[in-house]
Amino acid sequence: MNDSKKTAGPERTGPGGGVEGKRHTVLNRAWETGPCPLGTNGTCCRACAMGPCRVVESGKGTKVGVCGATPDTIAARNVCRMIAVGVAAHSDHAREVTQALCAVARGEAPGLEIRDGEKLRRLAGTLGLADADKSLGELAAEVGARLLNEFGRQDGELVFAALAPAKRLERWRRLRAVPRGIDREVVETLHRTHMGVDQDTSSLVAQGTRTALADGWGGSMIAAEVQDVLFGTPYPVRSRVDLGVLKADQVNIVVHGHEPLLPEALVRAAREPELVARAGQMGASGINVVEMRCTADELLMHHGVPVAGHFLQQEFALTTGAVELMLVDIQCVMQGLVAMAACFHTHLVTTSEKARIKGVHHAEFSPATALDAARGLVKLAVDNFPRRRTVNIPAKAVDVVAGFGYESIGYVLGGRFRGSVRVLNENIINGWVRGVTAVVGCINPRAGAGKNHGVLVRELIANDVLVLVTGCAAIACAREGLLLPAAAATAGPGLREVCVALGIPPVLHCGSCVDNSRILKVAAQMVREGGLGEDLSDLPVVSCAPEWMSEKAVTIGQYFVGSGIPVGLGVYFPGVDSHKFTDHMLAGLERDYGAAWFYEPDPQAMARKVLERIDAKRRALGIEGQRERVLYDMEMRRRLDV
Ligand code: NFS
Ligand code: SF4
């Protein structure tokens, strides 16, 4: 790293100081702290007080912990714990939205409503609760209760596991991998990783996989389904992304976090005439609500609300001096925001009972008080407008088309009356589309700071791979203009033809991280549609998390692998010094699940590894030779150089 990297964050000083008088950002801290050389090998154990033990394999034999634990056991335990935390995070969010659905059914959530009754009826059908005579309220109560039961269930199978193709379900049953209850799997993983319990790498990883599946086909899927009922099933919408969505002449409210319940009420309150008039009295021309992080992906997806940025941009939003209020709830909220907010007039407010930050004002939110709470918070922001000092908003904001859920992918591909993935399957079979890749996960200052996504995705679309994006990866791609139909000009000739014919971008925004479960549903539908094998592991579909940082990303990767979809991981693989564990994750899982992880920090090389895997699947399906149909003409060649 060079000096310019060291000072990549804003170094202006001003009233309020900040950490040591500097406006430090995550980029400064990443440089100053440096990665822990001990942690990356995955073999640090602090599961008991005979340790902590750091064990490494040496040429002279395997070193072990005080209790005799091998590096493989320790690495497997550590990764399983990461998975359990990720499942807990996604699924606790799912529990909140399911409880909100129950509150709506009881008439106790004034800021929320059932926006998509059709989806609710379909969901009730999936759960075996369909009844045409029941009101939406009655159905919401029954669906809510049924889904809440999935968390505390002790035995049997999670209900959404049955949405997987029959072959996959059979395989899971054979491997005892079907999750029983969401909370149960998390607790069992924590139990097994206690000192002196499960000490076999494969056994630990098997439980880790079952736990991860309880997220992909459980918690995350529940969150995505219920959010559609409450906020409307997403269909393609246009919006704008990047810090340029902040407005110099308006009151700016940034909503940052993962729970879309309060923002929904906030967007409503910000449109109320009294509050808009109050903003006018303070000298502002309006109230601008923008989103940050997975809440952003949700609200972008459901309503087209503008997005101020990805994970790494949270502190930079405050450096504009134009944010009157930043609301934070759960997950991926940096504590560094406190020092940064103190440098400006920004009110930083926590809203979740589960996530308090020392020294930050707390305004607790619940669905029952959502609208009143939202009004109070908007007023707080409006009254803060006159306290602004220098404002410096970057001009950049990029157009995006977002909102490709399970239903809308079927809709854009299959038409209004016959939503289906038939067109996608046909184009994969005839070779115009080589395969599909989900690019997911975080932005990591140690691995490209958002740049790796663009490199990987450009390479993939240039090779006719349709890309689905979620979470911060989606925002990184949006910032590079890849989420627009015009980006098809940079795609390979086959994919370009398909995108132009359908009017879609070559990179489809599928929502937040819990919405990765939508990708599982699309993949399951591709199997059901026919022509591409009988299991998810037959599909030419791959997933990548090139800049992962969160434990949730490991969970997502493990449930993709457990579902038969290979996953490429960037940054580092957590277990490099534990050979048997690493071999099991990178190869051994293939035997059981038909997919494994692969590790590749370089995004160009990762693209090549994705293409190898896609081509291998095409060969196995007997469809590899069909790409000659695409004839390059001069115009296509010119466009390829874009
Ligand atoms: Ni996903 Fe959303 Fe972003 Fe990573 Fe964090 S915000 S849930 S974990 S950093 S993609
Ligand atoms: Fe060390 Fe074993 Fe205790 Fe881990 S469980 S800290 S390896 S003694």
Side-chain angles (χ1 to χ4, degrees):
M1 276 192 218
N2 57 28
D3 229 37
S4 65
K5 197 124 189 183
K6 189 176 176 182
T7 56
E11 285 291 312
R12 292 167 296 155
T13 52
V19 175
E20 295 163 8
K22 285 185 189 168
R23 291 172 184 179
H24 265 46
T25 69
V26 59
L27 297 182
N28 304 104
R29 295 188 298 270
W31 168 251
E32 284 161 10
T33 305
C36 168
L38 308 184
T40 48
N41 70 21
T43 55
C44 288
C45 182
R46 50 186 183 83
C48 86
M50 292 191 292
C53 302
R54 181 201 160 219
V55 299
V56 279
E57 282 188 4
S58 70
K60 294 178 193 141
T62 302
K63 210 178 140 197
V64 295
V66 175
C67 67
T70 63
D72 298 304
T73 298
I74 293 170
R77 282 201 299 228
N78 285 340
V79 166
C80 287
R81 283 188 170 204
M82 292 175 95
I83 291 171
V85 172
V87 179
H90 279 156
S91 300
D92 214 28
H93 163 180
R95 190 193 327 266
E96 294 277 338
V97 290
T98 310
Q99 284 173 330
L101 178 69
C102 297
V104 170
R106 293 193 303 270
E108 292 172 5
L112 298 170
E113 61 190 352
I114 293 163
R115 285 262 179 86
D116 193 340
E118 265 312 299
K119 174 93 189 206
L120 177 60
R121 290 199 183 277
R122 278 202 304 280
L123 182 53
T126 307
L127 298 170
L129 301 168
D131 186 337
D133 294 336
K134 289 205 174 119
S135 71
L136 288 180
E138 286 167 324
L139 274 185
E142 284 184 21
V143 165
R146 178 74 182 74
L147 291 178
L148 276 182
N149 193 39
E150 296 291 280
F151 295 89
R153 183 201 262 280
Q154 300 303 317
D155 286 305
E157 297 179 345
L158 286 188
V159 63
F160 288 151
L163 299 180
K167 286 248 168 189
R168 181 61 28 184
L169 190 55
E170 243 172 62
R171 194 193 279 253
W172 286 340
R173 284 183 177 149
R174 203 172 58 242
L175 295 165
R176 292 206 296 182
V178 190
R180 296 154 294 183
I182 300 163
D183 296 351
R184 170 162 191 184
E185 302 308 348
V186 172
V187 169
E188 185 165 321
T189 295
L190 295 179
H191 174 196
R192 288 200 199 197
T193 57
H194 180 275
M195 188 266 158
V197 187
D198 201 352
Q199 294 162 63
D200 176 276
T201 304
S202 320
S203 168
L204 279 161
V205 173
Q207 172 58 18
T209 309
R210 175 159 59 177
T211 310
L213 292 172
D215 182 19
W217 299 87
S220 281
M221 204 170 271
I222 291 173
E225 295 288 306
V226 173
Q227 282 167 188
D228 283 357
V229 171
L230 291 175
F231 311 135
T233 299
Y235 283 94
V237 283
R238 276 191 172 269
S239 189
R240 286 171 77 71
V241 164
D242 221 331
L243 293 176
V245 302
L246 295 167
K247 298 199 173 135
D249 58 343
Q250 297 199 12
V251 174
N252 289 304
I253 303 175
V254 178
V255 189
H256 170 23
H258 285 75
E259 283 185 346
L261 301 172
L262 174 62
E264 185 75 13
L266 203 83
V267 169
R268 223 188 247 207
R271 289 185 190 137
E272 289 185 349
E274 307 83 69
L275 286 164
V276 175
R278 192 177 179 98
Q281 286 157 18
M282 297 292 165
S285 70
I287 303 168
N288 184 33
V289 179
V290 301
E291 313 290 333
M292 203 132 208
R293 293 332 320 116
C294 281
T295 297
D297 283 310
E298 291 295 347
L299 290 221
L300 168 64
M301 169 113 162
H302 289 99
H303 304 315
V305 172
V307 175
H310 55 54
F311 170 69
L312 226 53
Q313 289 179 288
Q314 52 190 281
E315 291 161 305
F316 291 97
L318 303 190
T319 66
T320 62
V323 177
E324 275 60 52
L325 173 67
M326 180 182 264
L327 296 171
V328 298
D329 52 46
I330 49 164
Q331 300 171 23
C332 305
V333 173
M334 292 193 200
Q335 198 166 352
L337 285 171
V338 182
M340 187 59 82
C343 298
F344 299 89
H345 73 306
T346 307
H347 286 308
L348 184 65
V349 175
T350 51
T351 59
S352 167
E353 183 200 357
K354 294 171 195 156
R356 307 282 293 258
I357 307 176
K358 181 91 184 144
V360 171
H361 177 66
H362 184 67
E364 206 155 300
F365 159 80
S366 78
T369 58
L371 204 50
D372 279 342
R375 287 186 186 120
L377 290 166
V378 173
K379 187 168 164 294
L380 183 73
V382 167
D383 292 352
N384 197 21
F385 185 77
R387 293 181 57 236
R388 264 192 198 179
R389 297 186 290 262
T390 312
V391 167
N392 183 7
I393 303 174
K396 190 178 166 196
V398 180
D399 289 324
V400 289
V401 176
F404 292 92
Y406 166 72
E407 286 82 355
S408 56
I409 286 180
Y411 165 68
V412 295
L413 296 175
R416 183 184 295 272
F417 301 108
R418 199 181 68 94
S420 107
V421 292
R422 182 82 240 144
V423 175
L424 178 59
N425 281 24
E426 276 168 4
N427 278 295
I428 290 175
I429 293 165
N430 69 26
W432 290 63
V433 175
R434 191 160 168 181
V436 177
T437 298
V439 178
V440 310
C442 321
I443 311 292
N444 192 319
R446 300 207 193 284
K451 294 278 182 288
N452 288 359
H453 297 93
V455 175
L456 169 68
V457 169
R458 280 180 199 285
E459 191 66 28
L460 290 175
I461 62 175
N463 281 284
D464 293 319
V465 174
L466 178 69
V467 175
L468 309 180
V469 285
T470 57
C472 289
I475 305 305
C477 293
R479 294 181 77 210
E480 299 204 19
L482 291 166
L483 269 54
L484 286 169
T490 63
L495 177 63
R496 186 193 319 147
E497 196 91 351
V498 172
C499 290
V500 169
L502 297 171
I504 57 169
V507 184
L508 303 181
H509 176 277
C510 296
S512 68
C513 281
V514 294
D515 293 319
N516 285 312
S517 57
R518 296 179 196 271
I519 297 174
L520 294 177
K521 279 182 78 180
V522 171
Q525 194 53 33
M526 287 167 72
V527 173
R528 240 170 257 127
E529 193 64 51
L532 292 174
E534 296 183 334
D535 194 351
L536 297 166
S537 50
D538 297 330
L539 297 171
V541 174
V542 178
S543 173
C544 297
E547 292 196 25
W548 76 284
M549 67 88 200
S550 155
E551 291 158 311
K552 290 178 285 176
V554 179
T555 306
I556 294 163
Q558 193 67 24
Y559 74 59
F560 271 118
V561 167
S563 300
I565 298 171
V567 177
L569 202 64
V571 195
Y572 75 89
F573 191 84
V576 284
D577 269 1
S578 43
H579 304 300
K580 286 195 202 105
F581 167 70
T582 307
D583 289 350
H584 185 62
M585 298 293 272
L586 301 186
L589 288 172
E590 183 83 45
R591 191 189 55 239
D592 287 340
Y593 298 95
W597 292 83
F598 57 99
Y599 164 62
E600 180 49 68
D602 174 65
Q604 286 279 0
M606 185 180 266
R608 283 196 295 278
K609 290 185 176 175
V610 169
L611 293 172
E612 278 164 20
R613 281 160 179 78
I614 284 178
D615 289 347
K617 295 286 159 100
R618 294 186 66 87
R619 269 195 303 282
L621 288 165
I623 56 172
E624 85 277 29
Q626 311 198 16
R627 289 175 48 73
E628 292 80 9
R629 264 190 71 180
V630 180
L631 297 173
Y632 285 70
D633 60 24
M634 279 315 289
E635 177 57 20
M636 281 173 165
R637 285 182 198 283
R638 256 197 306 277
R639 276 189 272 164
L640 271 183
D641 292 331
V642 172

